[in-house]
Amino acid sequence: KQLQRAATHSAHRASGQGGVMTALRSFGTMPFLLMLLFLCHSAPRTVATPVTDDGSEDILRVETYEWLGGEELQMMTHALPEDVEGGIDNLPSLRRSQSGSAARRAEASDESAALACEDCEAFGHGADACGCGYCGSYGKCSWSCGKDLERAPNANGPKCNPKPVDEPLLQAIWERPAWRDHRLDLKPSEGEHPCFAGFNHMISNTDRCNGWVRQYPDIGSDVVFLNTGVQRYSNFTLKAVVGGHINVWLEENSSPLHEDISIKAANIYTNQYGIDELKPAAGSGSWMEHECKVMGSMPFMYTCSDRINILVQECQVENAWVMQSDYLRNFPGPADANSSANFDIVFYMCQELLDRTPNPYAAANTFAHELAHVIQGGFGYSFNTMTEGGATWLEGPLLHLAPRPMIYAWGFRDWNRINAAHFYANTQEWNSRKFYQIHAMFLTYLAQPELLGDDVTSALQNYQSFEDVNVPWGRSAYDYFLQILETGEEPKEFQTVTMDIESPQNAFATALLDYRVAIAAQCIADPTLRPVEAKYLMPSQLRDRPFWDCTSYRTFWSAQDSSAENVSAELHYGGAAVFRLAAPEGATVSLAKDADARVRTKVLAAGSKSTGHVAEVRELGPGESISLEGGAREIFVVQVNVDPAGELIGPSERPQLWKRSTYRCTGSCSGKAWWAGAGEGEQYPPNQLSALRSPVMQLPTEADKLELSFDAMWDMEGLYVDGSTVGSGCVAKGYDGVQVRVRVVSEVDGETTELVVVSPESGYGDGGSPNTAALHALRSIYGDDSPCSDFEGWTGKSGDFAWTSQLFDFSRFAGKNISFELLFASDSADGGEGFWVDKIRVHAGGSLIFGDGSDADAMTEHVFLMVPKAGDVGKDDGVPVVTVLPEGYEFDRSLAKIDRTLSAPWSAQWRAPTLAVDPEASLGRAYLGWSYAAPINDTKTALLHPGQEACMRLAAPFRGILRTATLFTLVDKMGIGSVSLAIRSVGAPHPLLSGTKMLFSASPGVADPGTHRFDLESRSPVFGEAEPFFLCIGIGEERALPADPEGTLPFLHLPLTNVSSAGQEHLPGATKLIVPPVPKEERAFQTTGFDPWHGHTFVIRAEFVAVPESTGPTSSPAGVKSTG
């Protein structure tokens, strides 16, 4: 909801106003979070230019440079409004691996699966010891259960049918797609695609669609769809049906390029080319097939169709999205013969996005990400962090593609600030909206076979609900599923878990800490010196591809000092800090006695080549220390704020909504009024349900008039009538609001015996149409069967902050003990300054019963905690609530505690370099090159083509060699198989320095890995102090694939970082593009000259290490002089 403000979803998302909001908000009785699965790729849509809190425009500007020869560079500028990555509320959860129910569902027709697993031994096979559907499964159950996607499942026995889950609630949690299949009687047929497994049985053998199936015309025919980009009905032509399940439709104004790229993208997604690069795992022939095997089928049970519709449309923005309100419009029922064309599984691809990025692989990856949201929308909704992290996990590691790099999209200047940010933050201010990448890597870490595996990680992602109050948030999901790390197996019976808010040693805290240790372990270049335990490592394919810029960690050089004293960082909840001790000998690390125990600290010590010591990881508590012998060792101190109550709001922490204030108390108001709001000029907080309640009073039995009166003024989220309903078909007029309620109280025990919503004599107003008075935010307290009067209330604005007089008839409560209250309700996004009330009076005829000067202070705030009740089962999904919150606590959904920090100072001592035995400990070290740094909303990138090299001037800080160099790239590429690194002379035509060779790093598949680490220790010349040289990167091998667009130049995509010296020829950082001469090919030297990217260079970081004077010649002996 609220696309303009709360756009924080999906890998990339759209936002908008006006007509687009109309389309999104026409969703019947569905929970609003659900209707807004408006999930998008690339740039979001905004009509007006949003402005951030600091007054800057909320627009991401991306400039991309391209050199096609000659003296001039081309530059493309793109203004991407609102959230390039950003999102709203939920989606994807990631389904099981091959051993999960989705795989079993897809394999149900296999004859070998007819064998019951309990009969494996009777038929001469080994027992299914892992209980995963394979006779003979054994050991850690990763390979033998098919969880290790690098290897085929165990061949010792055939597939078998596992014993049905005895406990339905467990199946609803751990086997969500199978649970849905069971509830809706969906049975796969032989040969059905995993994305539509069960469709044929549903149509032929159930009454769900009443025999109706959506029909599509022949290729070349037109159908009218709603273009949700510009809000118009248009003719779309069916141009292709790909793989039997993807319809590609083009709006009437589309170009041949749009047609070519969109159809190729569909062919890539379904792997019509049959190439290995598009097969993400053993047993999966395409991205689409694997996505549905892992996550579950498409939500065809709500559309009565077995097609995905790609609509290529004009949007007036570079973007793409899906809308959950399309396929769930009749939820929980399906579409029917009267349903519109958009009431289907629809993916909206903007022409403008294809114009900007005519890369079919990128478009296909967009398909995968957004259709993951479609699948997940069929299971309910979850908290944004989980669903967006899951979609980003899917688009990368789960499809065996590169993870989305940190340097994608919004810029930033401080890696450590992002590392320390709140784990659930997703704003420009706090973490440059990088929670997608951080959470995707957390799930990637957990999905290792030795930890949760794809199976359990998918169950974690699929844990969602259609019931508003049951929607999981944060640890309410993690705590339940992470128990498997301690028990080693899934539970055998359903039991809820209680969230521990006292001990920082809970399973989620440990997983967060170990994950950060694993990220730090990627910085150890020698794999033999890393830890061997999986919990301290990232997956094998990522261990040599650092996700984080290791040089950004605060570093202490062993040769420059012998201690580090009282080092700390201010960490937000879930935030981390990593510190590097570079090769000290005999180090002792200690944690201060007064360190906050809610910041957990682990010390990662790499192995030592000189002594044979292996890597080790140890945890430190306050006042503890450890000594690390074994020669010079790389040491990383890793800290994470794991405050056990960090993501909850407790009774003493809850901010007061209703307060006495002079703010806007003008005109008829004097002194102070009651105000439900945040701060002056600020929006009231989201997800509020709070009442300003009077004390209990006895109303007289007889009186001429019993009346409540007060003055009121309000500034709340605007009226919005879109035909949607709440409760029992009550037409909604808006979202947030305030209503008056009367509680009738028992004289015996003081309990409420009757609760009545009362209306003022002038009414609460409507939304501009008759009988539209219901408010969405009140759904959190009233049931679906409640009368429409329960959902009435004021919303929108009372003029331009104008006070109004309100009067209520209380005659029906004569003679009763009552308390009245003003109930304030807000939903998850958008708002205003709040609601004011003054001069509250209750009269009985001419007598004042309540409302003299002292009575104003007698009003008190009562907060309603909308906390899911552990064990409650969702009506429409059958999924139970698994976590118990402590009494009086609620989720901090609005991140009210986001600015709270904790720290844990540590110190270290090591042998002085003059006393060290291991020579490594006394070697000088330094970082060369530039880390990524860019303004948040103004980033630069560049395309590098074959034959071209980007060169950066560097200088040796002392006599020594280059040990490693790490290049950071963006992952979209075309036609390349490797990346090159060369050490060149700074003098034109910049030959390779004598004794050096071009180095290469593989770039396999259809996406670049995003990180290339080059081992230079045995390949670097020895440089004299201050000696300059060029580090140059380029394209190594060219490698075309069948889906590459004809005529497209192969390219490598580089992020650019700010550097003031890019144009100063004789300073480090000076940058130029060159085409080195190749005499045999008669290729002449070419260059752009310095500063081709206007104050920017590429992102490469090298570690430089000193060598003794007696070691080796310098870099340019054989006539190749390094000058410049």
Side-chain angles (χ1 to χ4, degrees):
K1 165 174 187 281
Q2 311 320 333
L3 302 179
Q4 182 82 348
R5 181 174 88 69
T8 41
H9 80 218
S10 181
H12 328 288
R13 192 186 80 71
S15 71
Q17 296 177 326
V20 117
M21 298 287 284
T22 303
L24 293 180
R25 285 175 161 170
S26 56
F27 193 59
T29 59
M30 281 303 298
F32 191 61
L33 255 167
L34 243 176
M35 52 179 281
L36 270 173
L37 234 170
F38 189 63
L39 307 172
C40 312
H41 221 77
S42 189
R45 179 176 189 275
T46 305
V47 177
T49 300
V51 178
T52 59
D53 292 339
D54 62 3
S56 61
E57 291 184 358
D58 197 15
I59 297 284
L60 172 59
R61 291 182 175 83
V62 181
E63 294 181 350
T64 301
Y65 296 90
E66 186 174 21
W67 184 35
L68 299 176
E71 297 181 358
E72 299 296 328
L73 271 73
Q74 297 184 6
M75 183 180 70
M76 299 169 286
T77 301
H78 313 285
L80 310 183
E82 191 64 52
D83 282 307
V84 171
E85 322 177 79
I88 229 177
D89 290 279
N90 43 321
L91 281 186
S93 315
L94 290 176
R95 248 316 287 151
R96 324 269 171 174
S97 69
Q98 296 274 35
S99 64
S101 67
R104 290 198 287 271
R105 199 167 61 247
E107 296 161 351
S109 61
D110 193 320
E111 291 298 324
S112 65
L115 175 63
C117 292
E118 61 187 15
D119 295 330
C120 286
E121 292 176 286
F123 282 84
H125 306 295
D128 180 17
C130 297
C132 62
Y134 286 91
C135 292
S137 63
Y138 64 93
K140 291 185 177 180
C141 306
S142 57
W143 171 44
S144 63
C145 283
K147 294 179 185 177
D148 186 346
L149 301 181
E150 297 291 343
R151 306 174 68 179
N154 177 26
N156 290 346
K159 304 181 191 73
C160 60
N161 285 326
K163 184 179 180 180
V165 177
D166 294 326
E167 175 59 73
L169 292 181
L170 286 181
Q171 188 178 43
I173 299 166
W174 297 90
E175 298 285 350
R176 182 66 185 279
W179 177 240
R180 182 178 64 184
D181 289 354
H182 168 73
R183 284 169 61 86
L184 299 180
D185 193 22
L186 306 177
K187 298 178 181 178
S189 303
E190 184 174 359
E192 280 186 304
H193 194 285
C195 290
F196 296 95
F199 176 81
N200 292 331
H201 182 270
M202 178 186 72
I203 297 300
S204 302
N205 299 285
T206 76
D207 60 0
R208 179 156 185 83
C209 294
N210 294 316
W212 178 78
V213 179
R214 183 178 289 281
Q215 300 297 314
Y216 300 97
D218 295 334
I219 292 175
S221 302
D222 292 347
V223 169
V224 175
F225 285 90
L226 173 66
N227 175 325
T228 58
V230 296
Q231 284 297 288
R232 69 180 176 221
Y233 285 97
S234 297
N235 285 321
F236 285 77
T237 303
L238 182 60
K239 291 293 186 177
V241 178
V242 178
H245 292 289
I246 297 183
N247 295 336
V248 180
W249 303 84
L250 271 72
E251 196 174 15
E252 49 199 351
N253 58 352
S254 300
S255 71
L257 172 70
H258 303 146
E259 180 176 353
D260 179 56
I261 299 300
S262 58
I263 293 176
K264 278 186 176 177
N267 284 327
I268 291 169
Y269 181 56
T270 57
N271 196 11
Q272 298 301 299
Y273 303 98
I275 58 177
D276 291 340
E277 289 84 352
L278 297 176
K279 297 176 181 178
S284 293
S286 68
W287 295 354
M288 178 178 172
E289 180 181 347
H290 192 58
E291 185 167 15
C292 292
K293 282 185 174 182
V294 172
M295 294 180 65
S297 61
M298 294 287 168
F300 60 81
M301 64 291 304
Y302 301 111
T303 64
C304 300
S305 67
D306 63 349
R307 300 280 183 92
I308 298 167
N309 297 276
I310 310 299
L311 267 60
V312 180
Q313 62 181 20
E314 179 188 0
C315 302
Q316 298 178 7
V317 68
E318 299 168 0
N319 212 335
W321 59 82
V322 300
M323 294 172 62
Q324 197 176 14
S325 57
D326 281 342
Y327 52 89
L328 293 178
R329 195 165 301 181
N330 283 352
F331 181 87
D336 55 36
N338 297 317
S339 298
S340 68
N342 291 71
F343 189 165
D344 206 344
I345 299 171
V346 181
F347 170 57
Y348 302 95
M349 173 65 81
C350 295
Q351 299 167 349
E352 294 84 351
L353 180 61
L354 297 177
D355 289 334
R356 174 172 69 90
T357 309
N359 182 340
Y361 301 108
N365 194 250
T366 304
F367 287 11
H369 183 103
E370 297 306 328
L371 291 172
H373 285 301
V374 170
I375 295 172
Q376 212 48 36
F379 291 119
Y381 47 101
S382 183
F383 63 110
N384 198 19
T385 302
M386 180 69 79
T387 56
E388 293 306 340
T392 312
W393 172 43
L394 174 106
E395 75 175 31
L398 201 62
L399 294 182
H400 277 220
L401 301 174
R404 183 188 297 189
M406 287 291 293
I407 52 182
Y408 170 82
W410 298 90
F412 59 92
R413 295 190 181 279
D414 188 344
W415 288 79
N416 293 320
R417 186 171 187 272
I418 292 175
N419 207 19
H422 195 291
F423 195 56
Y424 302 137
N426 187 39
T427 66
Q428 293 182 24
E429 176 187 3
W430 289 106
N431 64 353
S432 294
R433 297 175 177 167
K434 300 301 177 186
F435 90 145
Y436 301 90
Q437 290 95 315
I438 291 171
H439 282 272
M441 291 303 285
F442 183 48
L443 294 173
T444 300
Y445 162 79
L446 290 175
Q448 295 180 87
E450 298 87 349
L451 300 180
L452 295 187
D454 283 344
D455 217 23
V456 177
T457 306
S458 298
L460 168 65
Q461 284 290 291
N462 268 344
Y463 180 63
Q464 301 189 118
S465 178
F466 285 113
E467 306 291 327
D468 282 3
V469 73
N470 290 355
V471 174
W473 202 85
R475 281 179 58 194
S476 66
Y478 281 116
D479 276 14
Y480 181 82
F481 287 93
L482 289 176
Q483 64 181 312
I484 198 173
L485 292 178
E486 299 176 352
T487 64
E489 60 181 2
E490 297 178 13
K492 296 294 189 294
E493 60 182 17
F494 174 69
Q495 291 182 334
T496 59
V497 298
T498 300
M499 187 178 290
D500 182 356
I501 62 169
E502 299 295 333
S503 171
Q505 299 294 324
N506 59 76
F508 181 57
T510 299
L512 281 181
L513 179 59
D514 291 347
Y515 159 57
R516 302 292 188 161
V517 172
I519 292 291
Q522 291 179 303
C523 299
I524 302 172
D526 187 337
T528 66
L529 303 182
R530 296 178 194 142
V532 295
E533 295 175 90
K535 67 179 180 179
Y536 298 132
L537 294 168
M538 294 302 289
S540 57
Q541 74 273 18
L542 300 178
R543 291 172 190 170
D544 291 313
R545 308 276 188 183
F547 174 64
W548 212 260
D549 181 353
C550 300
T551 69
S552 69
Y553 297 139
R554 185 177 175 185
T555 301
F556 300 86
W557 305 107
S558 62
Q560 293 181 3
D561 212 331
S562 59
S563 68
E565 302 295 336
N566 290 316
V567 182
S568 67
E570 294 297 323
L571 305 180
H572 301 265
Y573 174 70
V578 179
F579 307 91
R580 179 189 175 196
L581 303 179
E585 182 180 89
T588 297
V589 182
S590 58
L591 197 61
K593 290 182 180 180
D594 60 353
D596 196 310
R598 294 170 294 177
V599 175
R600 287 179 60 182
T601 302
K602 284 192 175 182
V603 179
L604 162 63
S608 170
K609 282 186 175 181
S610 62
T611 64
H613 281 72
V614 298
E616 55 188 312
V617 179
R618 300 193 206 171
E619 183 160 4
L620 286 178
E624 295 180 347
S625 64
I626 56 171
S627 296
L628 299 162
E629 296 299 331
R633 305 174 70 176
E634 286 292 320
I635 297 173
F636 296 88
V637 179
V638 183
Q639 297 187 314
V640 180
N641 176 345
V642 293
D643 180 1
E647 58 184 71
L648 298 178
I649 297 293
S652 63
E653 301 172 311
R654 192 166 292 111
Q656 186 178 6
L657 180 69
W658 289 98
K659 60 188 76 70
R660 297 283 287 166
S661 174
T662 60
Y663 182 56
R664 294 201 181 277
C665 187
T666 59
S668 64
C669 176
S670 62
K672 293 182 178 181
W674 282 103
W675 173 36
E680 296 185 6
E682 298 178 6
Q683 289 190 351
Y684 51 76
N687 302 308
Q688 297 295 304
L689 195 63
S690 181
L692 181 65
R693 181 176 293 178
S694 77
V696 176
M697 64 192 71
Q698 173 75 46
L699 297 183
T701 303
E702 296 182 1
D704 291 339
K705 288 184 178 180
L706 279 175
E707 294 176 328
L708 166 68
S709 64
F710 54 74
D711 290 347
M713 176 174 70
W714 56 94
D715 174 49
M716 309 190 75
E717 183 178 359
L719 293 167
Y720 203 95
V721 180
D722 59 2
S724 63
T725 62
V726 297
S728 54
C730 313
V731 180
K733 67 172 179 180
Y735 297 90
D736 305 343
V738 172
Q739 64 177 200
V740 177
R741 310 195 308 175
V742 174
R743 294 176 174 271
V744 180
V745 179
S746 168
E747 295 182 9
V748 177
D749 56 12
E751 294 296 319
T752 299
T753 60
E754 185 180 8
L755 179 63
V756 182
V757 177
V758 294
S759 295
E761 289 189 349
S762 57
Y764 284 116
D766 58 37
S769 301
N771 304 315
T772 56
L775 298 176
H776 279 284
L778 293 170
R779 289 180 299 106
S780 59
I781 198 169
Y782 300 122
D784 289 342
D785 57 351
S786 297
C788 294
S789 59
D790 282 359
F791 294 93
E792 292 185 343
W794 292 291
T795 191
K797 302 177 185 295
S798 60
D800 186 13
F801 293 100
W803 286 93
T804 66
S805 296
Q806 305 295 334
L807 188 66
F808 296 79
D809 182 4
F810 272 19
S811 59
R812 64 172 291 186
F813 305 111
K816 297 181 179 180
N817 285 340
I818 65 104
S819 169
F820 63 87
E821 63 188 27
L822 287 86
L823 177 64
F824 179 100
S826 65
D827 62 9
S828 60
D830 269 14
E833 290 194 15
F835 191 95
W836 291 259
V837 60
D838 187 34
K839 300 177 182 175
I840 304 171
R841 307 282 190 268
V842 176
H843 285 90
S847 301
L848 181 65
I849 297 177
F850 178 86
D852 61 22
S854 62
D855 285 337
D857 294 329
M859 302 289 288
T860 57
E861 181 176 26
H862 179 85
V863 177
F864 296 86
L865 299 183
M866 303 310 296
V867 176
K869 182 180 178 181
D872 276 3
V873 177
K875 178 185 67 174
D876 292 316
D877 51 43
V879 177
V881 176
V882 297
T883 305
V884 180
L885 293 188
E887 183 70 26
Y889 283 81
E890 63 180 323
F891 300 125
D892 184 15
R893 294 182 186 272
S894 59
L895 301 188
K897 297 163 70 171
I898 192 171
D899 58 349
R900 299 188 185 183
T901 61
L902 302 173
S903 64
W906 61 273
S907 299
Q909 296 79 37
W910 57 89
R911 292 193 186 99
T914 55
L915 301 177
V917 177
D918 190 336
E920 276 287 315
S922 59
L923 295 179
R925 288 174 169 79
Y927 295 134
L928 304 182
W930 268 260
S931 259
Y932 180 77
I936 288 176
N937 54 4
D938 187 8
T939 64
K940 306 288 191 293
T941 70
L943 301 182
L944 203 62
H945 296 300
Q948 301 175 357
E949 292 185 23
C951 297
M952 179 195 301
R953 179 184 175 120
L954 299 172
F958 37 75
R959 177 183 170 84
I961 62 170
L962 293 165
R963 179 162 282 179
T964 62
T966 304
L967 171 71
F968 293 89
T969 69
L970 294 165
V971 298
D972 57 311
K973 67 169 188 178
M974 184 77 71
I976 70 171
S978 66
V979 175
S980 66
L981 175 73
I983 307 173
R984 295 185 177 275
S985 166
V986 296
H990 311 296
L992 293 171
L993 289 183
S994 179
T996 68
K997 295 181 179 180
M998 194 85 75
L999 301 177
F1000 299 96
S1001 174
S1003 178
V1006 301
D1008 190 72
T1011 309
H1012 297 269
R1013 181 161 56 194
F1014 297 88
D1015 179 4
L1016 300 173
E1017 185 165 14
S1018 61
R1019 300 168 176 86
S1020 170
V1022 177
F1023 295 95
E1025 182 176 353
E1027 183 177 358
F1029 58 92
F1030 267 168
L1031 274 188
C1032 300
I1033 56 102
I1035 292 172
E1037 174 194 8
E1038 293 182 48
R1039 187 170 184 273
L1041 294 173
D1044 293 356
E1046 293 182 10
T1048 300
L1049 278 174
F1051 67 83
L1052 178 68
H1053 200 177
L1054 302 175
L1056 301 181
T1057 187
N1058 298 124
V1059 55
S1060 60
S1061 58
Q1064 301 182 48
E1065 179 179 356
H1066 299 290
L1067 291 180
T1071 300
K1072 68 191 319 186
L1073 297 178
I1074 68 170
V1075 174
V1078 181
K1080 293 182 179 180
E1081 300 178 8
E1082 298 183 354
R1083 189 176 76 184
F1085 171 73
Q1086 300 178 54
T1087 183
T1088 60
F1090 286 97
D1091 201 18
W1093 300 321
H1094 307 292
H1096 293 79
T1097 190
F1098 56 101
V1099 183
I1100 193 167
R1101 289 288 268 171
E1103 181 158 343
F1104 195 87
V1105 181
V1107 297
E1109 287 292 337
S1110 60
T1111 304
T1114 57
S1115 61
S1116 47
V1120 180
K1121 185 174 179 58
S1122 181
T1123 61

